[in-house]
Amino acid sequence: MDTASEGRLTERLRRRLRRTERTYSAGEDRPLRGYAAAMTAFGVYTAGWAAVVRMRGRPLPDRPEPWDVALTAVATFRLSRLLSKASVTSPLRAPFTTFQGPEGPAELHEEARSEGAKGTAGELVTCPFCMSVWVASTLAAGQLLWPRATRTAMGALTALAGADALHLTYSALVAKTTGD
């Protein structure tokens, strides 16, 4: 293929992408390119973990143990919220977000910046559901590479989630009994 043909093909693909973005977004600002980049980054990230696991010769289990699934779920929940909502981790999110105010006990409401890639990254780092995909993948890889250390860390995160539930329950009971 000559350079002119490659240029025409590239331009047709760009036009098609712009048309797809316009028809998909229905007038709303939907950063499809940013989402595609985030999906690509996640694919590269998980492929990297998979390569390390394979290079180390770690066998994959036939199926996950139910206890590991439960532990991973609770640890993923807690770490995702810690990374995406906690006050103490706001410096990690600050380059991609704007502070809006407090949101629940020890959590913040932040908005993603609207500047291209920073906006997409801001959506990722402020969304516990989005963050959980990355966290769960990391914990799964950790269980294959460093099972004892990873399970210890997940146990601590699970204990933290339990403590959070107890704090919230206690606060609700105090509020109910005192009328506050």
Side-chain angles (χ1 to χ4, degrees):
M1 188 181 289
D2 66 9
T3 306
S5 297
E6 287 176 9
R8 285 191 298 273
L9 177 63
T10 301
E11 187 52 38
R12 282 188 7 219
L13 288 172
R14 282 187 183 137
R15 280 195 309 267
R16 182 172 288 181
L17 177 60
R18 283 192 295 269
R19 185 172 46 245
T20 300
E21 285 177 319
R22 275 194 313 275
T23 50
Y24 171 78
S25 67
E28 296 291 322
D29 184 25
R30 301 305 310 149
L32 290 183
R33 291 179 200 181
Y35 295 153
M39 288 189 312
T40 301
F42 180 75
V44 169
Y45 180 73
T46 55
W49 275 119
V52 171
V53 168
R54 186 176 178 108
M55 284 181 354
R56 294 245 177 118
R58 300 287 188 169
L60 295 177
D62 290 332
R63 62 185 164 277
E65 295 295 326
W67 175 248
D68 281 340
V69 173
L71 188 64
T72 304
V74 177
T76 297
F77 160 78
R78 189 61 198 103
L79 186 54
S80 296
R81 291 208 70 86
L82 179 66
L83 292 172
S84 63
K85 295 289 183 185
S87 300
V88 72
T89 56
S90 61
L92 301 174
R93 298 184 304 274
F96 312 103
T97 62
T98 303
F99 174 75
Q100 300 296 307
E103 179 180 83
E107 291 190 344
L108 302 178
H109 174 66
E110 298 163 322
E111 291 290 325
R113 294 190 184 185
S114 59
E115 310 140 11
K118 281 191 175 189
T120 303
E123 283 190 48
L124 172 67
V125 300
T126 59
C127 172
F129 298 98
C130 306
M131 185 63 70
S132 67
V133 175
W134 293 76
V135 169
S137 297
T138 303
L139 293 175
Q143 288 179 70
L144 293 170
L145 294 169
W146 309 285
R148 293 177 74 184
T150 302
R151 282 189 186 95
T152 299
M154 290 192 315
L157 288 164
T158 299
L160 183 58
D164 289 348
L166 291 171
H167 285 299
L168 292 171
T169 302
Y170 179 82
S171 294
L173 289 172
V174 168
K176 185 176 181 175
T177 58
T178 61
D180 291 335

